[in-house]
Amino acid sequence: MTSETREVVAAEPGKRRGWGGFGAVRTAWARLPACVQATLPLWVASRVAVALASLAGARLLSNGPARDVPGLTTLWDRWDVGLFTKVARYGYLSPSYSDRTEVDFPGLPLAIRAVHVVVPDWIGAGLVVSFVVGAIGVAALWRLAADEVDDGDARFAVLALVCFPYAVFLFAAYSEGFFLGFATASWLAARRDRWLLAGLLGAAAASARVTGIAFCAALIVQYVLVRRAAGRPLIARPALALAIPPLPIAGYLVYLRVRSGRWDSYTDAMHDGWHRAVDWPWNGWSRTWGSAFDGDGASTFVWFWRGELLAVVIGVLLTGALIWGRRWGEATFVGLMTVIMSFTNYYASGIRGILVAFPLYLLLARAGARWPWVRGAYVWVCGPLMVIFVVAFTQGYWVD
């Protein structure tokens, strides 16, 4: 037997055991964009860790029989997940339920309904949507950070996101992950002067949350900055793409007008279902402060209100830092988002607004590159809080 024959024979068992297939997987992985290779393992590992934390919390905190401990989809069927699922199943203003779901934009419910075609469980379909759009978001976030710092420091931007205390809402079927995924991808396209793509992705983001109003304005500012930096005219065909992101918002309002006969259906639902209305920021601050430091209030809700106050403070400070750094587009997004969440009779869901503020994680990546201790301090402080909130949320305790 020649040496060539022995090599072929030796290789055959490996092929029969599937080693050749493993090589194909490695080849396919090598062909993926650098942003995917840098972030997908971290994203998958973080999702597995969150799922395990929720399951472990359920078992540790249950005194009943093991067979009665809820499974994964039951644990994540909490709070607004049910509202998004109702919209996905029955649509808005349906006789099948009485909740005022008009406050929830249609982007996520439509995605859940689409995925439900192949994922029979509605909650499971929502978790799949959050996983996929989250993977898009962290890849785009890494690429945005890698434009400014080295690859390792850019990875900290992703780590900062998944360790954010309220990152539980990136795993659950909430609209935060949907918005963040498409908003970061849109911002990356805008930086690359690819405005049609930026407009389409921005429209997907705007279809998910009222925060899309601030993002639409930020894209306009970013367009001016990018075109001027490149020495290109502002009045040009790419500017037409800026009209795309507001379309889902306008379309949704028209839809509600047709269905309800009212132009104020959104604000009426907010007032009727959540007793929220437009008000001066200092009035909202005063009411929220009173709830946050009410000694007779339930401890869970007291900390919720304190988180809302902190969200406004972070929004103001982050906007100031971005203005100081002359990052006008990012400052527009965070600043207008802070205005939207503060001009109300009490603060709510603001901390989830900070969760989707991707300029925060880019700022942290730059800070971590300059002062390495920032990375360790952030993870050690925020990571444990994130795990606590995962357990609290899946056990039915209100965290935001």
Side-chain angles (χ1 to χ4, degrees):
M1 183 181 294
T2 64
S3 60
E4 291 80 5
T5 303
R6 284 194 295 270
E7 290 174 1
V8 171
V9 172
E12 285 301 322
K15 291 182 180 178
R16 287 195 295 269
R17 287 192 294 267
W19 292 359
F22 180 72
V25 171
R26 291 183 61 183
T27 301
W29 176 259
R31 291 175 179 172
L32 292 175
C35 60
V36 176
Q37 295 185 42
T39 59
L40 188 58
L42 177 57
W43 179 246
V44 172
S46 69
R47 300 309 85 189
V48 171
V50 168
L52 291 177
S54 65
L55 292 169
R59 279 148 182 78
L60 289 172
L61 298 176
S62 174
N63 293 321
R67 62 177 175 273
D68 295 336
V69 176
L72 187 67
T73 55
T74 302
L75 288 172
W76 289 94
D77 185 8
R78 304 291 186 184
W79 307 110
D80 289 5
V81 172
L83 300 181
F84 286 114
T85 303
K86 287 176 181 177
V87 176
R89 297 180 67 179
Y90 307 113
Y92 294 98
L93 302 169
S94 170
S96 299
Y97 63 88
S98 59
D99 303 283
R100 297 300 303 271
T101 55
E102 302 98 300
V103 299
D104 297 319
F105 276 41
L108 176 60
L110 287 172
I112 293 175
R113 189 171 186 86
V115 173
H116 182 258
V117 174
V118 293
V119 180
D121 185 270
W122 286 99
I123 305 302
L127 295 178
V128 169
V129 171
S130 293
F131 175 83
V132 173
V133 295
I136 295 171
V138 295
L141 181 65
W142 181 88
R143 185 68 270 170
L144 287 168
D147 286 346
E148 305 177 43
V149 297
D150 63 37
D151 292 359
D153 292 319
R155 193 172 289 111
F156 174 61
V158 177
L159 185 62
L161 172 64
V162 300
C163 288
F164 191 81
Y166 290 85
V168 58
F169 296 105
L170 299 180
F171 190 98
Y174 268 63
S175 60
E176 280 72 22
F178 192 94
F179 175 87
L180 183 65
F182 287 110
T184 50
S186 173
W187 203 254
L188 178 60
R191 275 198 185 178
R192 300 291 190 269
D193 203 16
R194 301 176 61 185
W195 291 102
L196 178 58
L197 180 59
L200 293 172
L201 293 170
S207 73
R209 290 180 60 80
V210 70
T211 313
I213 297 173
F215 188 73
C216 291
L219 277 178
I220 295 173
V221 174
Q222 190 69 5
Y223 172 83
V224 174
L225 295 173
V226 170
R227 299 290 289 185
R228 282 185 173 177
R232 297 180 179 180
L234 298 181
I235 308 300
R237 182 176 297 178
L240 296 175
L242 298 174
I244 300 176
L247 291 179
I249 301 174
Y252 180 52
L253 293 178
V254 171
Y255 168 83
L256 291 179
R257 171 66 176 83
V258 172
R259 289 293 309 276
S260 68
R262 305 178 56 170
W263 282 110
D264 64 343
S265 182
Y266 178 88
T267 54
D268 179 67
M270 187 67 74
H271 182 270
D272 184 48
W274 283 265
H275 308 292
R276 295 187 69 187
V278 176
D279 202 344
W280 294 110
W282 46 86
N283 291 333
W285 179 275
S286 177
R287 292 190 184 95
T288 308
W289 182 277
S291 299
F293 296 97
D294 179 5
D296 295 326
S299 59
T300 299
F301 284 93
V302 164
W303 283 104
F304 155 68
W305 297 120
R306 293 174 183 177
E308 292 303 317
L309 293 172
L310 180 61
V312 173
V313 173
I314 292 175
V316 171
L317 294 177
L318 180 57
T319 302
L322 294 171
I323 292 174
W324 180 268
R326 303 178 67 84
R327 307 177 75 90
W328 306 115
E330 295 176 11
T332 300
F333 171 51
V334 177
L336 287 180
M337 182 177 65
T338 304
V339 168
I340 291 172
M341 69 185 185
S342 61
F343 272 77
T344 180
N345 57 332
Y346 68 88
Y347 299 163
S349 303
I351 198 67
R352 285 191 269 142
I354 299 301
L355 170 65
V356 302
F358 60 88
L360 171 63
Y361 311 109
L362 300 178
L363 177 63
L364 287 170
R366 295 192 296 273
R370 185 171 182 179
W371 303 292
W373 62 266
V374 169
R375 298 193 291 265
Y378 181 92
V379 171
W380 280 106
V381 171
C382 294
L385 288 175
M386 184 271 293
V387 175
I388 291 171
F389 287 168
V390 165
V391 175
F393 178 88
T394 53
Q395 288 300 301
Y397 294 101
W398 185 251
V399 297
D400 182 74

